[in-house]
Amino acid sequence: MGKKKSRSSKKPAKNNRSNGLGDIDSNITSNPSASSFSLPSFAADLPQPAEGWARELRKLEKELQNTRYQDAEIVISAAKVARIMRQFDVLEKILTKAESKGVVIEDQEMWTQLNEDVAALKRVKTLVRSDNMKKVINDVMKEGVSVDFVTFDCSSFLGLNCIQFAASKGDVQMMEQLIKMGAALDIEAMPPPSVLATQSGLVMKPKKCTALLMAVNGALTTRSVMSIVAKGGMGGKGGMFGGSEARETYEGCVECAIQLVRLGADTSVTFQFPPGGKNHPIYQSWHVWNIEGKSVRDVATLVGSDSFEKTVEEFSTMEHQIEHVNCRCGSRLPWKQCHAGKPTDPYYLAGKGDKKDITKVTWRYSPLAPCHCNTSNARLGLPGTKKIHFKCCWDETAHREYYQCDKTSEISVMARTPTNPIQREAMKMMQEMLKGKTEDEISEVMESMQQMRSDPEFVIKSRCDMVREGGALAMQAIVAGNNPCSKLSSWDPEVYAGVMETMDAELSFQWNDIHWALPKAEMLKRVSEWNEALEQYCDSIGLTGSEREAVIKLHTASPFAPCGNVKCGKMETSVKQYADARNVTVLRTAHLHVKEKTGRITSRRRANQARGKDKPVEFHQGNLFNKCCLIIRGNDALPNSF
């Protein structure tokens, strides 16, 4: 890909300082390869998966395990999807295992190209495979270390965190690996050191420093040095900046900058000297380039990349960002084509008043970062899962989603509550009420309701009023859905409402002891939060002594659920001990129990007699049964694993 005519045909100004180029040769431009930000050519022949490429890859990985990597069709399909998602470590594993198994691939040209893609990635100079980086990956993924506050020694600046360091060096692979692990894009990470410079020559990083700012600074610096070398300066060599190394660093910095913008990095961040750093030699180029106080968007033309200029311009609008901002897994695909492929998958948050301000959008926490249930388990004294978010709690979108602020790295939680039968009946009543109204009247009613529902204080007040006014019957009907296994009717409505009011209104919920449908991680979070709020409620009303003990004993949330058979009365003794029933056969009336150690079901009737006489039937599974024991009558269902 040659130099673009539009750039090379420009005549340099006699005084370069007037146009901000300073000592930079305008003929030195960045030419990223066509494959850097586009799908491989074969992707055009593959249909877009209904639920996104990420779930397609996960499905194919499971099929590879089931077929022991010996099905050629599955192998090549999985390899293609891994390449589309730029999951080169997964791709290499597929290629290596398939070859070791002696799998015969008909399309040898494709197979060769996939191997070459992996080899090409490995030829790129990067620190991602260094011992230091391997330790960082282990600490973040296994030990709970925050990736945003890991620092790397730099030859020029003090105080860079690891993503700022990677961007400043043009190390694309390292930068994307850090973002996968949950690195925030625009965080300053730490206040600059109090000392401007060290005796070794290191100088304080720029004020309000971000990874994007360091990538652009790195691109400008290497472009400037290459210009000096091209004019015979530095002995025509440029030391460590000369030859192909300077070109690699320059192209790497430009690629980092482009990808950061595509991920949603803030382009309004400005170049600011650190306190007392205006006259330091490291920052003299800023005076030459005349970039002090200017934003990344303002200096985009100085980078020397049409691709970067175009990307900055395109991603300056909210509409384009929402549609095209990249998933944080490193695929360089938009969220809706990648890990947020389901129609119901959320991937960003924007307040009603922030819908035109792209700096106020908060993006979903990285799907390949450590799952947050690790943190919750540690708080509850339970072992961490050590799983990535996508393979653990990602699909539990009916309950909570995690979003990350790129400026602070803080994680915010969006809590959702599934509707119960009574709420669904209320919705039907609302539909009936709106019949015969005009579109404007319906819009007015819905907007009014939406405003009320979006106010956490209003929602929690409404819930508490219903509980206080309706008493125990309201709790049993509204919260527990009239499930006879619930014990909420014995709770004090005033205490129940008081605990809800004590919690953060935005994350408050109605505790339900029939929590079979809640995923384990979400249920454990609610147990912890409810019981903490219960203690705070008792403190707020001054409960002490035996009275306090009695209130806490009765109203404490338990992670153990009752058996779904109201006549049984047994409770779980370990979390999620009674799983939902599956794989069923028809039996006559029988009372069955699960043995706690083996999970096998025993019956008062002989299992072999039942198995011989009865035929399998379809079983529509709901949340009515928690598999301790079931009353089976007629065509009711029973697990067939005796």
Short mmCIF file of all heavy atoms in Angstrom, two decimals, residues 214 286 293 328 344 357 376:
data_model
loop_
_atom_site.label_atom_id
_atom_site.label_comp_id
_atom_site.label_asym_id
_atom_site.label_seq_id
_atom_site.Cartn_x
_atom_site.Cartn_y
_atom_site.Cartn_z
N MET A 214 -0.92 8.97 25.24
CA MET A 214 0.44 8.44 25.14
C MET A 214 0.68 7.78 23.79
O MET A 214 1.79 7.83 23.25
CB MET A 214 0.71 7.44 26.27
CG MET A 214 0.73 8.06 27.65
SD MET A 214 1.82 9.50 27.79
CE MET A 214 3.42 8.79 27.42
N TRP A 286 6.70 19.48 22.32
CA TRP A 286 5.33 19.96 22.41
C TRP A 286 5.25 21.44 22.01
O TRP A 286 4.27 21.87 21.40
CB TRP A 286 4.80 19.79 23.84
CG TRP A 286 4.45 18.38 24.19
CD1 TRP A 286 4.93 17.25 23.61
CD2 TRP A 286 3.54 17.96 25.21
NE1 TRP A 286 4.38 16.14 24.21
CE2 TRP A 286 3.53 16.54 25.20
CE3 TRP A 286 2.76 18.62 26.14
CZ2 TRP A 286 2.75 15.79 26.07
CZ3 TRP A 286 1.98 17.88 27.02
CH2 TRP A 286 1.97 16.47 26.97
N GLY A 293 -2.48 22.19 25.43
CA GLY A 293 -3.87 22.58 25.59
C GLY A 293 -4.79 22.08 24.49
O GLY A 293 -6.00 22.30 24.56
N ARG A 328 -14.55 -5.47 23.96
CA ARG A 328 -13.26 -5.37 24.65
C ARG A 328 -12.47 -6.68 24.70
O ARG A 328 -11.48 -6.80 25.40
CB ARG A 328 -13.48 -4.85 26.07
CG ARG A 328 -14.23 -3.53 26.07
CD ARG A 328 -13.60 -2.47 26.90
NE ARG A 328 -14.09 -1.16 26.54
CZ ARG A 328 -13.99 -0.10 27.32
NH1 ARG A 328 -13.40 -0.19 28.49
NH2 ARG A 328 -14.43 1.08 26.91
N THR A 344 -31.10 -9.35 23.40
CA THR A 344 -31.33 -8.89 24.77
C THR A 344 -30.04 -8.52 25.49
O THR A 344 -30.08 -8.13 26.65
CB THR A 344 -32.05 -9.98 25.58
OG1 THR A 344 -31.29 -11.21 25.50
CG2 THR A 344 -33.45 -10.22 25.05
N ASP A 357 -23.88 13.14 24.79
CA ASP A 357 -22.51 13.35 25.28
C ASP A 357 -21.78 12.01 25.31
O ASP A 357 -21.99 11.20 26.20
CB ASP A 357 -22.54 13.97 26.67
CG ASP A 357 -21.15 14.37 27.17
OD1 ASP A 357 -20.16 14.00 26.51
OD2 ASP A 357 -21.07 15.05 28.20
N SER A 376 -17.27 -11.46 45.13
CA SER A 376 -18.40 -11.74 46.01
C SER A 376 -18.15 -12.99 46.84
O SER A 376 -18.44 -13.02 48.04
CB SER A 376 -19.67 -11.92 45.18
OG SER A 376 -19.92 -10.77 44.41
#
